[in-house]
Amino acid sequence: MTSDRIGAGAGAASAKRGSRTRVLPRALRRPVRFIQRLVSGDVSVPPRTETMLFGAVIGGAILYGSVLGGQFGQAVEQTTAAMGFAVEEIELSGNTYTPVDDVFAALGLDGRRSLVSIEPAAARSALTDLPWIASARIAKVYPSKLVVEVGERSPFAVWQTGEALSVIEQDGAVIGGYAAHPRLAALPLLVGKGAAETGAGFVATVQQYPIVADRVRAHIRVGQRRWDLRLDNGITVRLPETGVERALERLVTMQDELDVFGRDLAAIDMRLEDRTLFALTGNALEARQALIEARDAAREQARRGNRI
């Protein structure tokens, strides 16, 4: 019984030790065995192997440091450019409002550039970061040609808030600041807070009446509730909050019958359904006042003459 117990105890201890034994993964077993044989002297090392290994380690460290410092990329850039892969020809299309210099700067083409080092995905991202460019396609034609096709956003109007002028799309999204350009000069001008978001529908309504639309120079949003029209001769047409189409039809009729756009008026107030109010310019008001005074003087003189 004693021996059985002793045996049992030894077996338990052996089991404990076995449970603590660590087994290397299969992928590491062969390298570890080789190192053990190398250390024990079972494997003979060829001459200069240590020097080669040391050089490989140092070279790897230098290469790693160069990559981190950006020097490796510069070396590749210069080497491949010198080998005949420098960008010599650029075919650019689709840019109407984006300056060529902005495209070149975004692509890093303001200096000598290797075609090999240009990453199309990074180049597309850099181009679409420009205000006007919505999409871009990059193609490398070896040994030295780069093809760039861009798709620009569609301008709808110029939006003025205070003294700031911005070019906007039809949904009111701002493209960028306004810059002098023949095509942009012909865009509708929207003025005031809320004009960008609601301008497309209003401009479309006004364009249904060409006799009015051809004279409009600015669409002015008033109190984010209604619109005024500023004509090319300075007349302001005040439109109602609702029933804009009916007001414009009345305005067209008055223009046909009375040539109101040719009168010396400061404003035409269409906000009331049953009447139209006219505001005279300062000069017209003075002239009218002088006419009234002259008429009254003539009547007074005629009255006195009748008494005599």
Side-chain angles (χ1 to χ4, degrees):
M1 291 180 66
T2 303
S3 61
D4 292 340
R5 289 177 183 174
I6 293 173
S14 176
K16 282 186 178 181
R17 286 196 298 270
S19 64
R20 294 178 182 176
T21 302
R22 297 179 180 177
V23 180
L24 290 173
R26 185 179 299 274
L28 296 178
R29 293 175 191 173
R30 183 169 296 179
V32 170
R33 291 196 194 109
F34 175 78
I35 293 173
Q36 289 176 345
R37 293 172 61 195
L38 184 63
V39 172
S40 64
D42 294 340
V43 178
S44 59
V45 179
R48 291 186 297 224
T49 299
E50 294 181 0
T51 304
M52 294 173 62
L53 290 174
F54 179 76
V57 171
I58 296 299
I62 294 174
L63 179 62
Y64 179 72
S66 299
V67 172
L68 289 181
Q71 299 172 356
F72 180 75
Q74 295 176 3
V76 172
E77 179 91 28
Q78 296 173 1
T79 301
T80 55
M83 292 173 61
F85 294 104
V87 177
E88 300 290 348
E89 181 181 357
I90 302 169
E91 183 179 308
L92 175 61
S93 61
N95 62 312
T96 300
Y97 304 102
T98 305
V100 174
D101 290 344
D102 290 356
V103 174
F104 285 6
L107 295 175
L109 297 174
D110 44 359
R112 187 173 175 81
R113 185 74 189 272
S114 169
L115 192 65
V116 176
S117 66
I118 296 177
E119 293 290 340
R124 284 193 297 270
S125 178
L127 287 174
T128 53
D129 284 341
L130 296 176
W132 278 96
I133 296 180
S135 62
R137 189 182 78 87
I138 306 294
K140 298 192 288 185
V141 182
Y142 285 97
S144 59
K145 182 178 180 180
L146 183 67
V147 178
V148 182
E149 297 178 3
V150 298
E152 291 186 322
R153 299 165 69 179
S154 300
F156 167 71
V158 177
W159 176 38
Q160 178 179 345
T161 51
E163 296 182 356
L165 293 174
S166 304
V167 182
I168 62 172
E169 294 182 280
Q170 192 165 3
D171 61 358
V174 175
I175 296 175
Y178 175 80
H181 192 284
R183 295 190 182 184
L184 296 179
L187 295 177
L189 176 62
L190 307 179
V191 181
K193 186 176 181 180
E197 296 82 1
T198 58
F202 178 68
V203 170
T205 298
V206 174
Q207 288 178 344
Q208 296 176 19
Y209 306 90
I211 195 173
V212 177
D214 291 345
R215 304 292 298 269
V216 173
R217 291 296 173 266
H219 308 72
I220 305 170
R221 187 68 169 164
V222 181
Q224 299 192 59
R225 297 182 297 102
R226 64 174 193 84
W227 292 89
D228 283 350
L229 296 175
R230 183 67 51 79
L231 305 185
D232 54 3
N233 58 358
I235 294 177
T236 298
V237 179
R238 300 189 177 105
L239 295 172
E241 186 174 348
T242 59
V244 173
E245 291 84 355
R246 292 192 299 273
L248 289 172
E249 289 171 1
R250 286 165 48 207
L251 183 62
V252 169
T253 300
M254 286 189 295
Q255 173 60 18
D256 288 339
E257 297 177 355
L258 304 174
D259 188 26
V260 289
F261 295 164
R263 303 299 180 92
D264 202 358
L265 300 174
I268 304 173
D269 195 336
M270 314 285 299
R271 289 177 292 178
L272 299 176
E273 183 77 24
D274 58 345
R275 71 193 70 177
T276 301
L277 304 179
F278 299 94
L280 300 176
T281 63
N283 291 336
L285 190 61
E286 292 176 2
R288 182 174 183 277
Q289 186 63 32
L291 181 62
I292 292 174
E293 291 176 356
R295 184 193 63 188
D296 291 345
R299 287 178 178 176
E300 180 63 21
Q301 185 176 2
R303 186 177 61 80
R304 290 177 180 177
N306 291 333
R307 285 181 181 180
I308 297 174

